[in-house]
Amino acid sequence: YHPSPAVVVRALELFERSGRDDFLAIARRLLAHGDHEVRAAVLRAQTRARPNRDTLEQARASTTAPVAATALVELAAHGWLEPQAALEQLERLVEREPAVGRYIALAADGRPWPQLVPLLIRLIDAEDLDTRRQTVRALAAMAAPQAIPALIQHLSDREVREEVRDTLVAMGEDAFRALERALADFSLPECVRVHVPRTIAGFRNQRAANLLLRHLCSEPRGMVRYKILRGLGRLVTDDPRLQLDNQRLDESIDRYLVHLLSFLHWTVTLERGAAADPQRHSTGHELLLDLIRAKYVLALERLFRLIGLRYRGENVAQIYRGLISEDPTLRSTSRELLESLLPARIRDATVALIDDLPEEARLAAGESHYQPEPLEYEELVQRLTKGSSRSVSYLASYHAAEIGLAGAGALPVLSRDVLSGLPRPARRRPPATAALEPALKGAA
């Protein structure tokens, strides 16, 4: 009886889920309500409580598409209308009024009508957000395996990502296997693959942990590796009983140490080269140097995530926060804790990365993991143009053209996806513990 249609629709939804039918006597009058949202909602609630074929046949003839669509789904789901005929009528309604897709999904939620799945898969691409969300919920209730590939593709849709994740996890083994294939499929767009690890972590079991850790050691894309780290962190936080292979973690820690020390090597080479020849000190040089420092900061945070996974009995996150603190006493205490925690094999190299020493001295302190080869300025720039990092490759190519480096070729075109993936540049200062980027604190 409420004057607000939204309140009436919500009340009907609650009655529909409750399994009771004592609201029917006063709800039937709503079939003549002036708002089509209310008419469709009462048709769904009434059919769930006490299906009535005559009522549905009358509603099917309605000139209002949402009401007619609701009736068609219910009739086909109850076997009172041939499924293919109902599907053809629904497709015509969607073609004429795309907004009717939401009402189809609402009516299909929990209804055993597998022939409707292909239409629902198409509705995930609807422009209307409510339609996309409700369609994912309907597919979750149907547990239709054929929808899994489309759902994985829609992990790139930020507005329905959480619903898609929940649906994939609810689908169980079929979805897990599909996600395992997706994580290994480098032909998938990165905007999809980057959200696969977190979805796998949603299964919250040892198998998910083993899968993510295995890919951590082989994943070529930095952002996907980061998401794998986040997924592993979430898994062991939710269930501390899960076991992680320490050998694989040690291998990953060693790899990140080499990665970070190579950033220091590049930084030293670029700075010395610019000092030796002021003409190299160009805009491209500054951008390239800032980008490498920014990547150093991000990689350092990921190294400490790995250390936290390897030594789960210690509060590595707290140590890390202390190391990036502006309080000298807290930094010193955190460094002592880190030195006592780490084994000798990685202690010197790790401490060197967060030390306040000049970059040359820190690079030398990490020689147990990285021995820098003699590298000329032009040789480094040329090498960076062909590296695996797209953002570094683009800026190195730009700088190579600036300084007239032989074989630099045409300037690259910076596409939108590459620009959006660039880290925020670090300021012009050594990335020592006392002066790490403020963004690093938030990343911790």
Side-chain angles (χ1 to χ4, degrees):
Y1 291 100
H2 200 281
S4 168
V7 174
V8 177
V9 169
R10 180 59 178 150
L12 288 166
E13 288 174 352
L14 294 173
F15 280 126
E16 177 184 336
R17 296 176 186 176
S18 70
R20 58 194 292 170
D21 61 4
D22 53 354
F23 69 97
L24 291 175
I26 58 173
R28 288 192 180 95
R29 64 180 184 83
L30 295 176
L31 290 170
H33 196 279
D35 189 287
H36 68 266
E37 288 264 2
V38 173
R39 297 203 302 278
V42 74
L43 198 61
R44 291 193 302 270
Q46 179 178 332
T47 305
R48 295 297 201 276
R50 194 181 300 163
N52 186 295
R53 183 173 183 175
D54 291 339
T55 302
L56 291 174
E57 290 287 0
Q58 291 175 14
R60 173 190 175 189
S62 173
T63 57
T64 305
V67 176
T70 302
L72 285 167
V73 173
E74 297 288 4
L75 283 166
H78 283 86
W80 294 330
L81 180 62
E82 200 275 320
Q84 188 57 38
L87 190 58
E88 291 173 359
Q89 294 180 56
L90 289 170
E91 288 176 340
R92 286 196 294 271
L93 286 174
V94 171
E95 186 177 352
R96 188 169 70 244
E97 296 186 36
V100 82
R102 173 171 167 266
Y103 299 91
I104 294 173
L106 283 166
D109 193 346
R111 287 302 190 217
W113 185 15
Q115 294 93 332
L116 189 61
V117 172
L119 177 57
L120 292 175
I121 290 173
R122 295 202 299 274
L123 290 178
I124 308 179
D125 290 320
E127 292 185 11
D128 177 61
L129 174 58
D130 286 340
T131 299
R132 299 203 303 276
R133 282 180 172 161
Q134 188 55 52
T135 300
V136 172
R137 294 189 190 109
L139 288 170
M142 286 185 172
Q146 62 267 44
I148 291 174
L151 289 168
I152 290 176
Q153 288 288 341
H154 280 81
L155 286 171
S156 61
D157 186 345
R158 178 179 57 84
E159 293 176 312
V160 298
R161 187 175 300 138
E162 289 307 313
E163 288 89 346
V164 169
R165 278 181 174 147
D166 292 343
T167 299
L168 287 169
V169 171
M171 286 183 169
E173 179 65 19
D174 289 335
F176 187 91
R177 290 180 180 176
L179 288 164
E180 183 176 9
R181 292 191 295 271
L183 191 56
D185 184 359
F186 301 128
S187 68
L188 278 180
E190 189 168 346
C191 61
V192 174
R193 283 189 71 242
V194 77
H195 298 292
V196 170
R198 172 85 179 273
T199 310
I200 291 172
F203 285 83
R204 300 183 180 183
N205 56 31
Q206 187 64 54
R207 189 178 172 195
N210 294 342
L211 173 61
L212 291 179
L213 187 55
R214 186 170 71 249
H215 278 272
L216 179 64
C217 300
S218 59
E219 174 56 49
R221 300 301 305 167
M223 182 54 70
V224 179
R225 284 198 305 273
Y226 176 63
K227 294 294 187 177
I228 291 174
L229 275 174
R230 294 286 299 270
L232 284 169
R234 173 53 54 196
L235 273 169
V236 298
T237 298
D238 290 343
D239 188 354
R241 297 169 300 175
L242 294 176
Q243 299 297 312
L244 299 180
D245 186 335
N246 286 336
Q247 182 177 349
R248 288 185 184 274
L249 289 173
D250 286 338
E251 291 172 2
S252 295
I253 288 172
D254 289 341
R255 190 175 296 110
Y256 265 93
L257 285 172
V258 171
H259 200 44
L260 282 155
L261 290 164
S262 67
F263 283 150
L264 282 180
H265 185 196
W266 298 349
T267 301
V268 170
T269 303
L270 289 172
E271 288 182 332
R272 286 177 177 172
D277 184 354
Q279 290 186 346
R280 295 168 174 164
H281 202 281
S282 62
T283 300
H285 168 89
E286 289 290 322
L287 288 171
L288 184 58
L289 196 56
D290 279 350
L291 178 58
I292 290 171
R293 284 177 170 150
K295 283 183 169 291
Y296 179 94
V297 171
L298 295 175
L300 185 63
E301 185 255 340
R302 295 170 191 185
L303 171 65
F304 274 85
R305 284 185 181 274
L306 270 169
I307 293 172
L309 291 171
R310 176 63 176 84
Y311 303 99
R312 284 157 61 185
E314 305 293 335
N315 194 339
V316 175
Q318 186 174 356
I319 294 174
Y320 182 69
R321 285 192 292 269
L323 289 170
I324 64 174
S325 169
E326 296 180 359
D327 183 347
T329 303
L330 185 55
R331 290 202 308 274
S332 177
T333 303
S334 299
R335 173 177 169 154
E336 291 178 6
L337 290 171
L338 182 65
E339 289 177 333
S340 66
L341 166 66
L342 298 178
R345 188 182 66 82
I346 62 171
R347 184 185 303 126
D348 291 344
T350 305
V351 171
L353 296 172
I354 51 90
D355 215 326
D356 292 330
L357 295 173
E359 287 160 339
E360 293 91 338
R362 291 156 59 207
L363 182 59
E367 63 180 3
S368 62
H369 278 72
Y370 183 85
Q371 293 80 39
E373 59 178 315
L375 197 59
E376 296 297 327
Y377 188 92
E378 288 82 1
E379 183 185 356
L380 172 61
V381 173
Q382 191 76 270
R383 185 178 299 182
L384 294 179
T385 64
K386 301 173 183 177
S388 60
S389 169
R390 287 179 296 175
S391 52
V392 171
S393 175
Y394 275 103
L395 288 183
S397 298
Y398 178 84
H399 183 47
E402 273 186 324
I403 61 178
L405 193 60
L411 289 178
V413 177
L414 292 176
S415 60
R416 184 182 298 272
D417 64 318
V418 172
L419 289 171
S420 65
L422 291 173
R424 182 174 297 176
R427 297 188 182 278
R428 285 282 298 164
R429 59 182 185 274
T433 304
L436 287 175
E437 282 293 294
L440 193 56
K441 297 179 182 179

